[in-house]
Amino acid sequence: MKAQKQEINSRLVGQGAIDYVERRMAFTLEELRPFPKYILIETVNTCNARCIMCGIDFDKKSKAIMKDELFEKIIKEIGRHSHQVEKVMVYLDGEPLMDKKLARRVRMVKEVGVKTVTIATNAQLLDEKRAVELIEAGIDEIYITVDSLKKDVYEAIRVRLDFETVYNNTRRFIELRNELNPDIFIRIQMVRQELNYDEGDSFLDHWRSFLAESDQAVVRKAHNWANAAEVVSSGDEDDVNDTPCIALWGTFITHVNGDAALCCMDTETTHKIGNLTEESIESCWTGDTMNAYREKHLSGCRYEIAMCDGCTVWREEPHVGDSLPA
């Protein structure tokens, strides 16, 4: 592994690593340790697309939906800590709109006092009925990825999806948001890769003409899915092991069966930190297993964790277009 060839002194370690995490997260470690600020809940683990840059083999997934009892248990605990939680994201690996209970579940999260509830979708299933349901349920943010404004390029990237459906659903959601709840934040994003590499400026100009000033149009670098996918190089891949990954202090994830994994890239739960059918979010988050992973990162040894070695998903990057929220 190339990272192992670097000198430890080239990396942020100890207090330098702590300062880096606190700067990126905008919270102190004392504020981050008790309970996660950001929580990802996978209520469905299948997807209607087969995107060429995705590192997940959905054909091998079980196509499961999270049981109501488990979801309710998770939300009750989040409610007890809602003052500490910045955001709950009701999605993870798959397409959240494949969960027909999504709007009801969004409403449940809002009802326990969470300030921001978010989904990320490819918008294929975001027809007017589903859009109105989500808006009325209290959704605060929605991220929609549209990887090209050219039908042939889009459908070559987002295999199994239909460009016209996605585009029209996205435009209609913006209109409905404007009519029903202008406070909902919309981010339209494109993952820059080989097929759409030169479309960034036209993409941003196009979507900015429809979005509100408080919304975002963003072009993002393709990440390597913790080395599970090959993507176009951005030139900064060799630097990622020099810093700890902020996800270990900021983001808690649970899969559809309750498995709590190291981070959002642990799609197969190879680094399990607990299971929420038996344990609490708090015990998993503050437990010895999670803290041991954090210590690896703070000591400059993230490369010793195979999944973390060279993973680019949480690198510090200036996005093309509008900056992303902290």
Side-chain angles (χ1 to χ4, degrees), residues 239-258:
D239 299 330
V240 295
N241 279 6
D242 292 349
T243 54
C245 178
I246 60 172
L248 276 65
W249 286 267
T251 307
F252 179 89
I253 75 103
T254 178
H255 288 290
V256 70
N257 64 350

Side-chain angles (χ1 to χ4, degrees), residues 45-56:
N45 71 347
T46 188
C47 190
N48 53 347
R50 295 295 183 269
C51 303
I52 60 173
M53 67 289 189
C54 182
I56 303 173

Side-chain angles (χ1 to χ4, degrees), residues 110-180:
K110 290 301 296 181
E111 286 175 348
V112 298
V114 173
K115 65 182 75 171
T116 303
V117 182
T118 307
I119 68 163
T121 176
N122 59 42
Q124 177 76 29
L125 302 175
L126 190 64
D127 58 23
E128 183 159 339
K129 180 178 182 293
R130 301 296 297 279
V132 171
E133 286 177 349
L134 284 169
I135 293 170
E136 292 181 345
I139 194 77
D140 296 293
E141 296 182 340
I142 186 168
Y143 306 158
I144 303 174
T145 304
V146 186
D147 283 324
S148 178
L149 293 172
K150 302 174 182 177
K151 177 180 174 64
D152 59 333
V153 175
Y154 177 87
E155 292 180 359
I157 295 172
R158 298 261 160 179
V159 177
R160 296 191 182 183
L161 303 187
D162 176 72
F163 172 75
E164 286 86 0
T165 300
V166 168
Y167 181 85
N168 292 334
N169 284 350
T170 303
R171 287 284 306 275
R172 183 58 179 149
F173 186 89
I174 296 170
E175 293 171 353
L176 290 166
R177 183 281 306 266
N178 294 343
E179 296 169 13
L180 301 175

Side-chain angles (χ1 to χ4, degrees), residues 14-298:
Q15 188 59 48
I18 292 172
D19 292 343
Y20 174 84
V21 171
E22 293 183 337
R23 175 179 65 81
R24 291 283 311 277
M25 292 301 305
F27 294 100
T28 66
L29 256 59
E30 291 304 311
E31 294 171 305
L32 295 169
R33 285 189 181 112
F35 201 79
K37 295 293 183 184
Y38 303 92
I39 300 172
L40 284 151
I41 305 173
E42 179 187 69
T43 70
V44 58
N45 71 347
T46 188
C47 190
N48 53 347
R50 295 295 183 269
C51 303
I52 60 173
M53 67 289 189
C54 182
I56 303 173
D57 187 351
F58 283 104
D59 293 324
K60 294 182 179 178
K61 291 280 188 178
S62 60
K63 299 178 176 59
I65 304 289
M66 181 175 281
K67 293 180 179 178
D68 289 343
E69 295 83 358
L70 175 57
F71 187 80
E72 290 165 7
K73 177 180 184 288
I74 293 169
I75 299 311
K76 284 180 180 178
E77 183 181 1
I78 290 173
R80 294 194 295 271
H81 297 270
S82 60
H83 62 287
Q84 294 172 290
V85 176
E86 294 294 312
K87 185 183 298 188
V88 171
M89 294 154 277
V90 193
Y91 67 92
L92 186 57
D93 294 342
E95 167 51 48
L97 286 167
M98 296 189 78
D99 179 1
K100 295 180 180 180
K101 299 178 181 178
L102 181 63
R104 181 167 68 85
R105 288 175 163 173
V106 166
R107 188 184 301 275
M108 289 174 64
V109 182
K110 290 301 296 181
E111 286 175 348
V112 298
V114 173
K115 65 182 75 171
T116 303
V117 182
T118 307
I119 68 163
T121 176
N122 59 42
Q124 177 76 29
L125 302 175
L126 190 64
D127 58 23
E128 183 159 339
K129 180 178 182 293
R130 301 296 297 279
V132 171
E133 286 177 349
L134 284 169
I135 293 170
E136 292 181 345
I139 194 77
D140 296 293
E141 296 182 340
I142 186 168
Y143 306 158
I144 303 174
T145 304
V146 186
D147 283 324
S148 178
L149 293 172
K150 302 174 182 177
K151 177 180 174 64
D152 59 333
V153 175
Y154 177 87
E155 292 180 359
I157 295 172
R158 298 261 160 179
V159 177
R160 296 191 182 183
L161 303 187
D162 176 72
F163 172 75
E164 286 86 0
T165 300
V166 168
Y167 181 85
N168 292 334
N169 284 350
T170 303
R171 287 284 306 275
R172 183 58 179 149
F173 186 89
I174 296 170
E175 293 171 353
L176 290 166
R177 183 281 306 266
N178 294 343
E179 296 169 13
L180 301 175
N181 185 358
D183 292 332
I184 295 172
F185 169 81
I186 299 174
R187 179 195 296 167
I188 309 295
Q189 56 192 20
M190 181 182 91
V191 179
R192 173 171 274 173
Q193 51 203 286
E194 188 173 358
L195 292 179
N196 64 8
Y197 199 80
D198 296 325
E199 292 187 46
D201 289 341
S202 59
F203 176 90
L204 295 172
D205 289 342
H206 179 84
W207 287 110
R208 283 171 178 158
S209 67
F210 300 109
L211 294 170
E213 289 186 6
S214 56
D215 295 326
Q216 291 178 340
V218 176
V219 178
R220 308 188 67 176
K221 298 176 183 177
H223 63 78
N224 63 11
W225 288 88
N227 302 300
E230 291 187 13
V231 296
V232 62
S233 174
S234 297
D236 58 358
E237 290 79 8
D238 290 344
D239 299 330
V240 295
N241 279 6
D242 292 349
T243 54
C245 178
I246 60 172
L248 276 65
W249 286 267
T251 307
F252 179 89
I253 75 103
T254 178
H255 288 290
V256 70
N257 64 350
D259 279 346
L262 180 59
C263 80
C264 60
M265 290 295 98
D266 196 358
T267 60
E268 300 296 329
T269 322
T270 56
H271 300 279
K272 183 176 176 180
I273 63 170
N275 183 283
L276 298 187
T277 62
E278 306 162 350
E279 303 166 75
S280 66
I281 295 172
E282 183 177 14
S283 64
C284 294
W285 184 250
T286 61
D288 292 343
T289 301
M290 191 65 178
N291 285 328
Y293 286 126
R294 291 179 180 130
E295 186 55 38
K296 288 282 188 186
H297 280 245
L298 291 178

